Amino acid sequence: VNEVSGDDTVESAYRVMEFKTAAYTVARPLELGARMAGAPAALLDDLRSVGHDLGIAFQLRDDLLGVFGDPDRTGKPSGDDLAEGKRTALLALGLERAELRDPRSAAVLRDAVGRRLDDHELNRIRELLVDVGAVEEIERRVTALLDAAVARLERAEIGTDIRADLIAMAGRIAHREA
């Protein structure tokens, strides 16, 4: 959607994550499983919230892996999201911050979108994303989302073993390497 419209704002990237990735990756599967088990409404609300937060964290981690990931672990070339023109939250945040710091850096980032990059160009884009603080901010957001999900799970009316399993799953989602 964002690729077609060319909308590279942070808000737009989050909108896509909320309505697409968060829902189908984590929130709906958790909710469906809980419904099938006959969970009460309050637990469904807790799991829906947990699923939303973890779904966003999952996608933010995916954004990072799309630029910085090891192709042997992710199964796709590093920089592939850029080549495919994906308007990720990482890219949007990088552009937003680069525009404020140095519009030339923002132009370099924009130029990288939608084309295959050689190793030198990809390294330059990685450096820019780190230098403007986009990577650090995405990591901070992943941590905050994970913390919120775990706090909600700790308060939820579920068994100790189920809670431990869900908290472990949450950590794997937020800190995955592939």
Side-chain angles (χ1 to χ4, degrees), residues 131-150:
D131 289 347
V132 299
V135 173
E136 182 179 345
E137 178 61 21
I138 293 295
E139 288 288 2
R140 189 193 65 72
R141 291 179 185 192
V142 168
T143 298
L145 289 161
L146 174 61
D147 290 348
V150 168

Side-chain angles (χ1 to χ4, degrees), residues 97-135:
R97 288 178 172 213
E99 282 291 348
L100 294 172
R101 269 186 161 183
D102 177 16
R104 291 180 308 229
S105 293
V108 169
L109 283 174
R110 263 195 196 87
D111 181 58
V113 177
R115 65 184 186 82
R116 191 71 46 202
L117 304 174
D118 64 32
D119 289 343
H120 174 75
E121 291 172 310
L122 181 56
N123 286 332
R124 177 67 181 126
I125 296 305
R126 288 174 174 155
E127 288 172 7
L128 280 170
L129 291 169
V130 169
D131 289 347
V132 299
V135 173

Side-chain angles (χ1 to χ4, degrees), residues 2 6 8-9 28 45 51 56 60 62 66 73 80 84-85 96 110-111 115 132-133 136 149 163 165 167:
N2 290 356
D8 56 17
T9 62
R28 292 299 285 169
D45 288 344
I56 298 292
L60 291 173
D62 197 65
R73 294 191 72 125
D80 213 34
E84 292 176 10
E96 182 180 274
R110 263 195 196 87
D111 181 58
R115 65 184 186 82
V132 299
E136 182 179 345
R163 177 179 293 109
D165 287 345
I167 289 172

Side-chain angles (χ1 to χ4, degrees), residues 18-174:
E18 287 179 10
F19 292 118
K20 185 181 170 196
T21 309
Y24 77 74
T25 303
V26 184
R28 292 299 285 169
L30 272 177
E31 181 183 354
L32 291 172
R35 279 188 189 280
M36 288 174 36
L43 180 55
L44 290 173
D45 288 344
D46 285 338
L47 292 176
R48 196 174 299 115
S49 176
V50 165
H52 173 270
D53 289 349
L54 292 178
I56 298 292
F58 176 92
Q59 186 58 54
L60 291 173
R61 176 65 56 209
D62 197 65
D63 292 356
L64 288 167
L65 290 171
V67 176
F68 293 90
D70 176 356
D72 291 335
R73 294 191 72 125
T74 64
K76 63 182 187 175
S78 195
D80 213 34
D81 284 355
L82 291 168
E84 292 176 10
K86 291 185 180 176
R87 302 309 203 258
T88 65
L90 174 64
L91 176 63
L93 191 58
L95 284 167
E96 182 180 274
R97 288 178 172 213
E99 282 291 348
L100 294 172
R101 269 186 161 183
D102 177 16
R104 291 180 308 229
S105 293
V108 169
L109 283 174
R110 263 195 196 87
D111 181 58
V113 177
R115 65 184 186 82
R116 191 71 46 202
L117 304 174
D118 64 32
D119 289 343
H120 174 75
E121 291 172 310
L122 181 56
N123 286 332
R124 177 67 181 126
I125 296 305
R126 288 174 174 155
E127 288 172 7
L128 280 170
L129 291 169
V130 169
D131 289 347
V132 299
V135 173
E136 182 179 345
E137 178 61 21
I138 293 295
E139 288 288 2
R140 189 193 65 72
R141 291 179 185 192
V142 168
T143 298
L145 289 161
L146 174 61
D147 290 348
V150 168
R152 188 92 182 224
L153 286 169
E154 287 174 345
R155 293 188 310 269
E157 295 289 326
I158 53 177
T160 305
D161 291 345
I162 294 170
R163 177 179 293 109
D165 287 345
L166 289 173
I167 289 172
M169 179 193 72
R172 287 190 304 273
I173 286 171

